[in-house]
Amino acid sequence: MAASCKLSTVAFLLLFTRVLSFPVGHEKKETTTCGYQSCDTTKPTMLNVHLVPHTHDDVGWLKTVDQYFYGDRNDIQHAGVQYILDSVVDQLLKNPERRFIYVETGFFYRWWKQQSAGMQQTVKQLVNEGRLEFVNGGWCMSDEATTHYSAVIDQMTIGLRFLNETFGICGRPRVAWHIDPFGHAREHASIFAQMGYDGFFFGRLDYQDRSCRMKAKEQELLWRASDSLTPPMADLFTGILPNGYNPPEGFCWDQLCSDAPIRDDPDLEDYNVDDVVQRFLRAAKSQALVYKTNHIIMTMGSDFQYENANLWYKNLDKLIRYVNAQQANGSNVNVLYSTPSCYLQELHRANLTWALKTDDFFPYADNAHNFWTGYFTSRPALKRYERISNSNLQSCNQLEVLGGPVSRKGLFGQGDSETLRKAMAVAQHHDAVSGTEKQHVANDYAKRLAKGWQHCQVLVSNSLASLTGSSAERIYCDNLNVSVCPLTESSKKFSVSVYNPLGRTVTWPVRLPVNGTKYGVTDAQGKSVDCQVLPVSRATQEVRRSRGFARNELVFQVQAPPLGYSTYSVSMLKDQPSPFSPQRGAPTVIRNKFLQVTFDPDTGLLTGLSNLETKRTIKLTQNFYWYYASDGNSYESQQTSGAYIFRPNSSTPVMVNSKARVESFQNSVVQEVRQWFTPWVSQVVRLYADSKAVELEWTVGPVPVHDGQGKEVITRLDTSIKTSEFFYTDSNGREVLQRKKDFRPTWQLKQTEPIAGNYYPINSRAFIKDDMDQLTVVTDRSQGGASIYNGSLEIMLHRRLLYDDFRGVGEALDESSEIFPDGLVVRGRLLLSLEPPASAADTHRPLAQEVVWQPLLSLTDGDPSPNTRLEFSGLQASLPPAVHLLTLSQWDDESVLLRLEHQFQSWESKVSSQPVTVNLQKLFSTLDVLGFSELNLSANQWKDEMRRFDWSPEKEEKPLLKIFEDPSVWEITLRPMEIRTFLLRVTFK
């Protein structure tokens, strides 16, 4: 009896939670005819042409997001989003047949806030009738090559939540719409499928791929976007639009266009209705030849169009009327206002089978010498800052939950996570983290992230004050990568709080700029911690310029509990000058208990890497090179290298230096070899005592261009691994895809750019392997990479270019700043691990998570007060190794959003690629979970109510959705690569 009574109580709590926290707001029972119900009737015996009025509004590109919204700086580009929405709503009200779709919720949200209650009600009515439809629905249209999956999920969640809470079920997009991103990632398709989208449309794909698909009528396909999730869980119907996202040639009627309007007064001599109708019929029939059904779609709009929507709609009304009038004369073409979801519904009704795709759409080329692979690395400093900001945001979100309401309004004032959350959402835009914006816009993105972090710092300080019981002011040192931190440089006694956002205990090296020569460090239990002092390197002194004055760095390893912090106390013991005596020249070997790294004493360069546990050794050499960038003076093509496009003028890169000047330091905490190649390239090879990875900290810049030639700087690892032209890269930080030189899985490639055409995006890792060894490189930001030679892996680190590449940005990618007027200096880290292929993921998966969700350091001056709580964990115990806590954030006053994911693919680990069960009731140490409900990935539908169109692949049975039962009410099971999303009702214990 007791057991069943408990079960009933839990069931009641689940229901109770669900009613009060409904993710689509309060459902009104008013009649709506939105979505698929709003679609007009088509004619089954005719060619139905779906005209989709739309605008593509970049959330920053040539102008900042604010300038685009207000229509400011029209000297740069004529564009004003507020006027577009004003005009479209006005025109929709004039004809109930008219439709419009809108995509970028970040813009719509701004506009909505400025509208009167009457206008808001009018817009709601348009949405309820399906005349204004939201597609995609994220805060922005994210880039697909350089974004991390966690940030993509976050930005989609923000946008979709606003639409749900504002418009209810009619605000929920059915279709994902990525018409402009420059290549398409498999992980994005998987994410969209798990968010409940019925289909996905995009505009750009490789010109050779499109040609093949047009001939085979495979521009509409079924994308199987995971090799681990059971089909059709990550299956997504995908359509490739016919004209990018523009109208057919000759039919653009925006104020930004110059095509002739429809002149339909027969008394005037320039009457052109017959000509327009015949041209349109030809365009429609030509398009129909390369698609599979009797339905085709035409995108009637483009960048920032519809500011004067009357021009478009007046001509579209006429086009529909006059083309359809030809049906009386035997025409079989039927034209109608439509939306992507209405078009998708007709494709679904056709009940056909569709070509199956399992790889991705990278790299993208629009012509033989125009590969869009440069932006994988463009603006490397911004790419790193975005990644750090993501880590800071996750810690901020978690501490908002763990600290309770006082975190938002507490000892240090008012703080919030929303400012950084929205700044991060904007930064995912395909002209933001991609690095393809103008310089002043890149500055604006960085400024927004910095402002968001300032707001989060107050929240984090409030939360930690509550958790520690200490009112001491907290200092955040954001320039530790260049050894700058005013507190540690000047104080003789301070404490370091290390917050760990991961769901397992983490060991992490801390390096602090100091001026003493000997220090004592104690942990939260008062035990002494091994610490060492090293001199600040010459390269660091040069890159920090006048921002700091530390002579030395204090290095020690910290350990922080899961979803918690640990505090370390630091005291200076000696500050008189003590000459450090580095070993000149390279040591022959550095080693810890896991790895051994060997060097050539003559050149100072790496020669080998050994795993001491498996007793496997590979030859490994590493150096820096540059490709000269094409300036367009070529008989083959005038294409230049620029922000988007990578086009070297030779397939052979130039070695920076065949030797490095070297000094080394070896102590009980870290062994490091400092290599100086040229005044603008240096590196430190580090091996920490407890690490299974070798760290390569590279510093590149200012890249010299006094010779008038732009340069693309790479590092290349050459090994004895027999790769057979294969290498592997991750997709948005999650699943790993196999790549092969000069090869595409779905068509016969004619390779015209042997370097750029083999570059792929690396988001968090890449590896090369054979039967015995796998060398994995974990990156600290998104970068481009390739395997041009067998056993080789190259990664592009920095680009400095002198010409625009004619893709619209109108600027050369030549970055400088007040600190670096001679050109940008960039610093980053690569982490190398050597493991047997069968167990490599057990090392690189957690390693990559540590780099993305890195510990957050905060410092306080002096000794902690006596009653300070020096250690805390928000979890009762560490999560299993396969489980990652992806999201913990405040949803409303009483609910939190939780995402747990299985971070291994089904094939990559004997140990970890197994289902894992977690008990939600026993998860948190300070929170009681009263009840929970499961949501879809984007948290805008209940999981058990999510319904998607089913699609049949060619040559296979239609997969049926498999429902897995959880072991008990509170226990949930995660299978490889599965992300599960929950809304928890919680109280503090």
Side-chain angles (χ1 to χ4, degrees):
M1 241 351 252
S4 64
C5 176
K6 184 177 179 183
L7 196 63
S8 301
T9 306
V10 169
F12 171 74
L13 286 170
L14 295 178
L15 185 64
F16 182 68
T17 304
R18 184 151 167 164
V19 169
L20 292 187
S21 299
F22 194 66
V24 295
H26 301 290
E27 278 282 273
K28 293 182 180 177
K29 293 299 180 185
E30 60 192 40
T31 56
T32 58
T33 54
C34 59
Y36 298 123
Q37 292 176 312
S38 71
C39 298
D40 288 338
T41 304
T42 57
K43 299 189 175 181
T45 60
M46 292 192 176
L47 173 62
N48 295 276
V49 184
H50 296 250
L51 302 183
V52 178
H54 81 106
T55 181
H56 175 61
D57 297 344
D58 290 303
V59 188
W61 179 39
L62 309 183
K63 307 199 291 190
T64 69
V65 60
D66 290 351
Q67 290 165 352
Y68 272 133
F69 180 75
Y70 283 106
D72 196 7
R73 292 300 309 272
N74 279 348
D75 56 313
I76 297 174
Q77 180 186 12
H78 187 99
V81 173
Q82 61 172 338
Y83 308 121
I84 292 171
L85 290 165
D86 288 343
S87 186
V88 164
V89 170
D90 174 65
Q91 288 299 314
L92 288 176
L93 295 171
K94 293 183 177 178
N95 179 352
E97 296 298 314
R98 293 173 176 176
R99 302 290 188 105
F100 196 77
I101 62 167
Y102 200 72
V103 178
E104 293 85 7
T105 305
F107 275 140
F108 187 87
Y109 165 82
R110 289 165 173 240
W111 180 83
W112 179 259
K113 286 196 307 178
Q114 297 179 355
Q115 303 311 303
S116 66
M119 177 54 79
Q120 289 185 351
Q121 194 54 46
T122 297
V123 173
K124 283 183 179 180
Q125 187 63 31
L126 290 173
V127 173
N128 286 342
E129 294 172 2
R131 292 156 66 190
L132 174 61
E133 182 175 301
F134 296 100
V135 298
N136 213 64
W139 206 246
C140 70
M141 185 186 294
S142 59
D143 181 56
E144 297 194 43
T146 64
T147 47
H148 193 267
Y149 72 97
S150 60
V152 173
I153 292 169
D154 282 351
Q155 77 89 6
M156 292 297 297
T157 301
I158 300 172
L160 293 169
R161 181 177 184 180
F162 168 75
L163 294 177
N164 265 355
E165 292 180 345
T166 308
F167 299 105
I169 200 164
C170 288
R172 177 167 64 81
R174 271 67 170 181
V175 167
W177 182 259
H178 268 213
I179 54 177
D180 195 27
F182 331 121
H184 303 281
R186 195 176 78 174
E187 193 59 39
H188 261 73
S190 177
I191 286 169
F192 289 145
Q194 294 173 71
M195 288 179 172
Y197 289 96
D198 286 322
F200 176 41
F201 292 95
F202 65 71
R204 298 184 189 271
L205 84 162
D206 186 274
Y207 73 105
Q208 293 183 49
D209 193 2
R210 183 185 282 277
S211 176
C212 294
R213 291 186 178 279
M214 288 172 72
K215 290 172 187 169
K217 291 192 176 183
E218 290 183 355
Q219 290 190 93
E220 288 159 336
L221 57 127
L222 184 59
W223 197 351
R224 182 152 294 163
S226 171
D227 60 17
S228 295
L229 298 171
T230 307
M233 195 172 168
D235 287 4
L236 188 67
F237 181 88
T238 300
I240 300 159
L241 297 168
N243 302 297
Y245 54 89
N246 300 308
E249 191 174 343
F251 298 92
C252 185
W253 290 306
D254 194 76
Q255 65 183 19
L256 299 172
C257 302
S258 56
D259 292 341
I262 297 178
R263 301 183 294 254
D264 56 347
D265 185 342
D267 293 336
L268 299 179
E269 65 179 58
D270 51 2
Y271 176 84
N272 68 349
V273 170
D274 295 339
D275 174 63
V276 169
V277 167
Q278 290 308 310
R279 283 192 294 111
F280 185 83
L281 289 172
R282 286 196 298 273
K285 289 173 181 176
S286 173
Q287 184 178 324
L289 294 174
V290 293
Y291 285 86
K292 208 167 178 176
T293 73
N294 65 323
H295 291 267
I296 60 172
I297 186 171
M298 290 184 179
T299 46
M300 307 308 281
S302 193
D303 291 357
F304 297 99
Q305 294 196 359
Y306 285 79
E307 196 172 305
N308 182 351
N310 180 45
L311 298 179
W312 260 115
Y313 282 117
K314 195 164 192 173
N315 284 281
L316 287 172
D317 287 350
K318 292 178 181 180
L319 181 73
I320 292 169
R321 183 165 77 249
Y322 291 128
V323 171
N324 287 347
Q326 292 299 309
Q327 293 170 16
N329 300 326
S331 169
N332 73 332
V333 175
N334 180 51
V335 191
L336 65 155
Y337 280 117
S338 190
T339 66
S341 58
C342 291
Y343 174 63
L344 184 71
Q345 179 173 239
E346 295 295 346
L347 298 182
H348 186 250
R349 284 174 175 168
N351 199 26
L352 302 175
T353 61
W354 305 90
L356 192 66
K357 182 178 178 68
T358 57
D359 60 314
D360 65 2
F361 290 95
F362 286 118
Y364 161 57
D366 61 28
N367 214 318
H369 300 285
N370 312 352
F371 279 86
W372 298 47
T373 54
Y375 79 99
F376 300 162
T377 296
S378 294
R379 300 196 187 279
L382 180 64
K383 282 178 165 62
R384 176 62 184 152
Y385 190 47
E386 181 273 338
R387 190 64 58 86
I388 293 168
S389 299
N390 186 35
S391 180
N392 288 341
L393 174 61
Q394 303 313 317
S395 294
C396 184
N397 285 338
Q398 293 173 8
L399 284 164
E400 184 175 9
V401 172
L402 298 172
V406 73
S407 62
R408 293 184 289 280
K409 189 174 183 181
L411 190 63
F412 297 100
Q414 288 195 327
D416 69 86
S417 56
E418 186 179 10
T419 307
L420 183 54
R421 193 177 297 122
K422 287 180 177 173
M424 271 297 295
V426 167
Q428 304 317 302
H429 168 58
H430 58 269
D431 287 307
V433 66
S434 59
T436 55
E437 63 281 76
K438 281 187 180 289
Q439 185 63 54
H440 77 105
V441 181
N443 296 344
D444 184 68
Y445 289 131
K447 185 179 174 182
R448 288 171 182 278
L449 293 172
K451 181 182 177 185
W453 175 225
Q454 287 173 348
H455 285 236
C456 262
Q457 282 179 13
V458 178
L459 186 154
V460 169
S461 292
N462 287 337
S463 179
L464 289 174
S466 173
L467 293 170
T468 61
S470 167
S471 60
E473 181 188 4
R474 292 187 175 271
I475 305 297
Y476 302 87
C477 290
D478 295 329
N479 292 314
L480 285 176
N481 68 325
V482 291
S483 292
V484 175
C485 179
L487 175 64
T488 63
E489 291 172 49
S490 57
S491 177
K492 294 188 177 181
K493 191 168 279 192
F494 56 89
S495 63
V496 184
S497 176
V498 183
Y499 177 77
N500 168 26
L502 291 174
R504 55 182 171 78
T505 300
V506 162
T507 301
W508 185 262
V510 169
R511 303 177 73 90
L512 301 174
V514 294
N515 281 299
T517 52
K518 189 174 183 182
Y519 286 80
V521 178
T522 56
D523 65 15
Q525 285 73 43
K527 293 178 184 172
S528 180
V529 175
D530 188 11
C531 64
Q532 298 289 337
V533 176
L534 297 169
V536 171
S537 71
R538 171 184 165 186
T540 295
Q541 290 175 35
E542 289 177 359
V543 77
R544 79 181 177 195
R545 306 280 160 110
S546 59
R547 289 176 287 174
F549 62 94
R551 298 190 304 270
N552 302 318
E553 289 180 331
L554 172 66
V555 186
F556 57 99
Q557 298 261 40
V558 297
Q559 197 173 71
L563 223 67
Y565 66 83
S566 194
T567 308
Y568 290 78
S569 298
V570 181
S571 302
M572 183 193 293
L573 303 178
K574 193 186 289 185
D575 67 349
Q576 70 262 33
S578 172
F580 291 95
S581 50
Q583 177 186 328
R584 296 293 172 189
T588 54
V589 63
I590 58 174
R591 70 160 66 87
N592 63 14
K593 59 189 173 186
F594 302 114
L595 296 172
Q596 176 175 289
V597 187
T598 55
F599 295 84
D600 181 336
D602 295 328
T603 64
L605 304 182
L606 283 165
T607 58
L609 178 61
S610 302
N611 182 321
L612 299 178
E613 292 181 300
T614 62
K615 297 183 171 55
R616 293 290 305 172
T617 298
I618 61 167
K619 292 178 182 175
L620 169 64
T621 60
Q622 180 247 355
N623 208 324
F624 295 88
Y625 306 79
W626 75 78
Y627 292 103
Y628 281 115
S630 171
D631 58 8
N633 291 324
S634 162
Y635 71 92
E636 290 180 315
S637 167
Q638 293 185 338
Q639 181 60 55
T640 52
S641 238
Y644 300 89
I645 287 173
F646 170 35
R647 186 168 181 240
N649 71 1
S650 166
S651 297
T652 305
V654 180
M655 185 183 288
V656 168
N657 199 332
S658 60
K659 292 184 176 183
R661 202 157 61 208
V662 171
E663 62 181 21
S664 65
F665 297 86
Q666 300 189 44
N667 57 52
S668 53
V669 176
V670 66
Q671 301 166 68
E672 62 180 56
V673 178
R674 299 175 177 179
Q675 301 169 317
W676 189 89
F677 291 84
T678 70
W680 59 278
V681 177
S682 62
Q683 178 173 262
V684 183
V685 181
R686 288 196 185 99
L687 189 58
Y688 289 98
D690 297 320
S691 180
K692 287 191 169 186
V694 182
E695 176 184 307
L696 307 181
E697 185 185 65
W698 50 270
T699 305
V700 176
V703 178
V705 289
H706 50 77
D707 57 359
Q709 292 186 279
K711 295 172 184 66
E712 329 241 8
V713 184
I714 65 165
T715 186
R716 196 174 77 208
L717 303 159
D718 295 302
T719 76
S720 54
I721 295 173
K722 298 174 176 62
T723 58
S724 303
E725 299 192 325
F726 290 102
F727 81 116
Y728 301 80
T729 65
D730 66 325
S731 182
N732 299 122
R734 279 203 99 218
E735 295 197 20
V736 171
L737 280 75
Q738 185 186 74
R739 311 298 193 182
K740 188 180 182 186
K741 182 184 173 187
D742 297 334
F743 177 78
R744 305 289 185 266
T746 56
W747 86 91
Q748 192 71 39
L749 174 69
K750 181 184 177 185
Q751 185 61 275
T752 48
E753 284 287 332
I755 304 299
N758 281 304
Y759 259 66
Y760 290 87
I762 300 169
N763 205 277
S764 65
R765 84 210 70 197
F767 59 79
I768 52 176
K769 67 175 185 174
D770 56 22
D771 292 341
M772 301 299 292
D773 301 299
Q774 178 172 318
L775 178 70
T776 306
V777 181
V778 171
T779 65
D780 66 350
R781 73 201 73 193
S782 289
Q783 294 167 313
S787 180
I788 304 297
Y789 308 102
N790 275 324
S792 167
L793 180 64
E794 67 181 60
I795 295 174
M796 189 181 290
L797 306 177
H798 198 356
R799 318 179 70 217
R800 188 176 188 187
L801 307 170
L802 304 181
Y803 299 94
D804 178 49
D805 55 6
F806 312 113
R807 292 304 180 278
V809 78
E811 257 181 26
L813 185 67
D814 184 7
E815 297 180 275
S816 61
S817 68
E818 288 182 18
I819 296 171
F820 302 117
D822 300 328
L824 190 68
V825 181
V826 185
R827 171 170 282 183
R829 294 188 307 146
L830 302 174
L831 299 177
L832 276 53
S833 70
L834 177 66
E835 300 283 348
S839 60
D842 295 321
T843 298
H844 73 68
R845 284 284 174 192
L847 191 63
Q849 299 291 32
E850 287 175 29
V851 174
V852 175
W853 284 270
Q854 64 185 37
L856 174 62
L857 303 186
S858 59
L859 301 106
T860 55
D861 200 9
D863 277 329
S865 54
N867 297 322
T868 301
R869 187 179 185 181
L870 298 178
E871 197 162 66
F872 164 83
S873 175
L875 299 184
Q876 291 188 29
S878 282
L879 291 171
V883 178
H884 174 233
L885 192 149
L886 177 59
T887 304
L888 180 66
S889 63
Q890 200 72 39
W891 186 262
D892 57 30
D893 288 344
E894 297 173 319
S895 305
V896 299
L897 187 69
L898 172 73
R899 288 190 184 96
L900 295 173
E901 69 165 314
H902 196 303
Q903 63 173 336
F904 286 81
Q905 284 174 259
S906 59
W907 50 266
E908 64 185 1
S909 169
K910 289 178 183 176
V911 178
S912 300
S913 295
Q914 304 293 331
V916 187
T917 298
V918 176
N919 189 314
L920 295 184
Q921 203 175 26
K922 296 177 180 177
L923 197 58
F924 300 105
S925 62
T926 57
L927 299 174
D928 270 328
V929 181
L930 304 179
F932 70 90
S933 288
E934 185 164 7
L935 301 163
N936 67 336
L937 182 57
S938 46
N940 65 333
Q941 296 177 76
W942 298 120
K943 181 71 176 288
D944 59 8
E945 292 180 2
M946 189 175 91
R947 301 286 183 272
R948 299 174 61 224
F949 283 165
D950 52 359
W951 303 88
S952 298
E954 290 176 355
K955 304 171 187 173
E956 282 187 29
E957 291 292 313
K958 180 190 291 186
L960 299 174
L961 186 63
K962 192 172 181 182
I963 306 298
F964 295 100
E965 290 290 325
D966 286 321
S968 70
V969 171
W970 289 106
E971 291 178 309
I972 62 108
T973 298
L974 293 158
R975 286 165 179 80
M977 278 293 137
E978 186 176 16
I979 305 175
R980 296 185 66 176
T981 305
F982 303 95
L983 200 60
L984 309 183
R985 175 62 59 91
V986 298
T987 60
F988 280 92
K989 291 182 178 178

